[in-house]
Amino acid sequence: MAKDSDYGAFMEKFVLQPSPSAHELPLSGLTFAVKDLYDVDGYVTGFGNPDWARTHPAATSTAPAVLSVLRAGATCIGKTIMDEMAYSIAGENIHYGTPRNPCAPDRIPGGSSSGSAVAVAAKLVDFALGDDTGGSVRVPASYCGILGFRPSHDVVSTTGVIPMAQSFDSMGWFARDPVILNRVGRVLMQLPDVDPVNPSQIIIAEDCFQLSAIPSDRLTEPLLKSVNKLFGGDLVKHAILGDYVKEKVPSLKQFMTEETADQENNIPSLVALSSARQLLQRYEFKKNHGEWVSTVKPDLGPGISETIWKAVRTTDENVDVCHSVRTELHAALNALLGVSMPLGLYDNLPVAISLLAKHGSDGILLNLVESLYKNIQEEVGIAEKKVVCQNSSNTRQ
């Protein structure tokens, strides 16, 4: 594990002061950190690997997303550790150390935006910037017990951010406080302050939750009780997501196999969807970085090395089908943004739930999180107390 002074979250520390202003700015007084794939003028963007840092010059400009929050009054205090070349969601880095998860110190922090998540969870900063290709904000947010937001694809500029796979890449951010999460989002997406809009419906993916070993009273019930309290229970619907995806995304048949269909504890259409996404991600990663990897042959950690070389050796077979899958899925769900919300602890480990929304509904989702958060935490507290009381009763018996 990385050094403990800052939970091993930082690659390097420096201070970027906000732009001076005579007016009160929306992020005044807040501090933040950035994942080490965002360009900062004068600093090498390290991409989680020392060979990458060694073979690339310092940036000559700062990524627009970083400039946006600086201009809104926030102060940057450094760059955070990440998984090598962003190609993992574990949060480990053999070269720079693995940031220590403040919420579960004996567990990994999740990645690839590990340092950013840890910096927020450890209260070292008020918010942090990461990026999310296949869960790299939402996963570490859930592992570290904080909020993590992935906005609609292409809504926030990724200029000055090292790409991984452009079909899926999106910047994202972390916060402990839903008000700060909302405020940062409105700056990054240039959204006006508007009154919250009640959701028209909330759909529970029943088959997905059935796979969880965590009981429903600690998973879906806090959300449902909060929704009922704030908006009434009539807008809650239940759906079988796997069946819906199988029907609406016919190109997935190319990725459906007897092996996945026969496996227990999975949803075949979603396993096929994951296979298609991984193939397209490998292909785009190769287009972006294959030449560099093949030429430099960087020192890569175990697991990461196999994953990256597999991507470099991939071909364009079935890539057209992957694009068809993505197009059909977008038409069917139109859900390309999401947020991870903490639900306290279960068996002393963090629990989280993800909310998704239609593309372009970022402001609505941010407001919904802010509205729901306090009630959800209250319901989680009630559920946790019930468990403690039951355990005490069982012990006395």
Side-chain angles (χ1 to χ4, degrees):
M1 288 290 181
K3 58 187 183 297
D4 285 343
S5 60
D6 58 8
Y7 288 78
F10 285 90
M11 272 294 302
E12 57 182 323
K13 288 187 173 180
F14 50 77
V15 176
L16 298 179
Q17 297 288 355
S19 304
S21 174
H23 307 286
E24 181 70 15
L25 297 171
L27 303 183
S28 289
L30 300 182
T31 58
F32 74 102
V34 297
K35 184 176 181 176
D36 194 24
L37 49 60
Y38 284 83
D39 284 349
V40 174
D41 188 11
Y43 295 88
V44 174
T45 308
F47 208 22
N49 180 271
D51 287 322
W52 181 279
R54 175 179 59 83
T55 56
H56 288 80
T60 56
S61 60
T62 298
V66 177
L67 290 175
S68 291
V69 291
L70 286 170
R71 289 168 180 156
T75 299
C76 179
I77 66 167
K79 283 195 171 191
T80 56
I81 285 177
M82 57 178 283
D83 296 59
E84 294 179 75
M85 301 188 78
Y87 219 144
S88 172
I89 56 171
E92 299 171 305
N93 190 305
I94 195 171
H95 306 288
Y96 303 122
T98 297
R100 186 161 62 90
N101 186 339
C103 195
D106 61 337
R107 303 299 176 106
I108 57 176
S112 61
S113 307
S114 52
S116 289
V118 166
V120 170
K123 301 181 181 179
L124 305 175
V125 292
D126 297 300
F127 69 95
L129 303 186
D131 82 314
D132 191 311
T133 301
S136 290
V137 165
R138 292 160 293 165
V139 169
S142 67
Y143 285 14
C144 293
I146 58 175
L147 293 154
F149 195 90
R150 175 203 165 98
S152 295
H153 191 248
D154 284 341
V155 166
V156 181
S157 172
T158 53
T159 299
V161 183
I162 298 175
M164 204 271 188
Q166 285 92 329
S167 287
F168 308 105
D169 288 348
S170 175
M171 69 82 59
W173 61 97
F174 302 91
R176 296 180 303 277
D177 184 337
V179 176
I180 292 176
L181 188 84
N182 196 344
R183 210 182 302 167
V184 171
R186 293 190 177 280
V187 166
L188 288 167
M189 294 180 284
Q190 302 178 28
L191 297 175
D193 287 324
V194 294
D195 292 333
V197 176
N198 290 355
S200 58
Q201 61 179 346
I202 291 179
I203 301 173
I204 305 294
E206 201 67 43
D207 51 340
C208 296
F209 284 105
Q210 287 172 359
L211 298 178
S212 176
I214 300 171
S216 61
D217 64 339
R218 285 293 290 103
L219 201 56
T220 53
E221 284 188 22
L223 172 65
L224 294 177
K225 288 179 178 178
S226 299
V227 168
N228 187 56
K229 186 184 297 183
L230 291 173
F231 310 117
D234 293 342
L235 50 74
V236 176
K237 314 292 180 188
H238 295 263
I240 305 300
L241 181 61
D243 290 349
Y244 181 80
V245 168
K246 183 178 180 180
E247 177 189 351
K248 298 293 185 180
V249 189
S251 295
L252 272 182
K253 290 176 183 177
Q254 297 267 13
F255 299 93
M256 300 282 279
T257 65
E258 290 183 10
E259 181 183 354
T260 56
D262 292 340
Q263 287 177 359
E264 292 185 8
N265 299 321
N266 78 23
I267 301 169
S269 62
L270 300 189
V271 173
L273 183 61
S274 177
S275 297
R277 187 196 66 79
Q278 288 177 31
L279 176 57
L280 184 54
Q281 179 176 321
R282 285 195 293 267
Y283 176 71
E284 293 187 352
F285 179 89
K286 177 184 177 179
K287 286 183 65 178
N288 289 322
H289 307 302
E291 182 178 349
W292 180 84
V293 173
S294 298
T295 302
V296 175
K297 295 180 174 55
D299 181 18
L300 299 165
I304 290 276
S305 179
E306 292 83 352
T307 299
I308 285 177
W309 279 105
K310 183 176 182 179
V312 171
R313 295 183 182 112
T314 199
T315 68
D316 60 0
E317 183 181 1
N318 284 332
V319 166
D320 289 343
V321 183
C322 292
H323 284 292
S324 297
V325 167
R326 185 176 182 274
T327 300
E328 291 166 3
L329 183 69
H330 186 273
L333 291 180
N334 200 13
L336 294 176
L337 69 148
V339 60
S340 179
M341 292 184 66
L343 295 179
L345 301 177
Y346 181 77
D347 282 348
N348 293 317
L349 294 173
V351 180
I353 194 168
S354 280
L355 304 181
L356 305 179
K358 289 182 178 180
H359 184 87
S361 303
D362 304 81
I364 294 173
L365 185 57
L366 285 167
N367 281 339
L368 179 64
V369 170
E370 189 174 334
S371 299
L372 282 173
Y373 188 81
K374 182 179 179 182
N375 279 285
I376 286 179
Q377 300 312 310
E378 288 174 354
E379 293 295 340
V380 166
I382 293 169
E384 288 177 337
K385 287 178 182 177
K386 283 182 180 178
V387 172
V388 172
C389 292
Q390 288 170 356
N391 290 341
S392 299
S393 176
N394 292 337
T395 301
R396 287 196 296 271
Q397 292 174 2

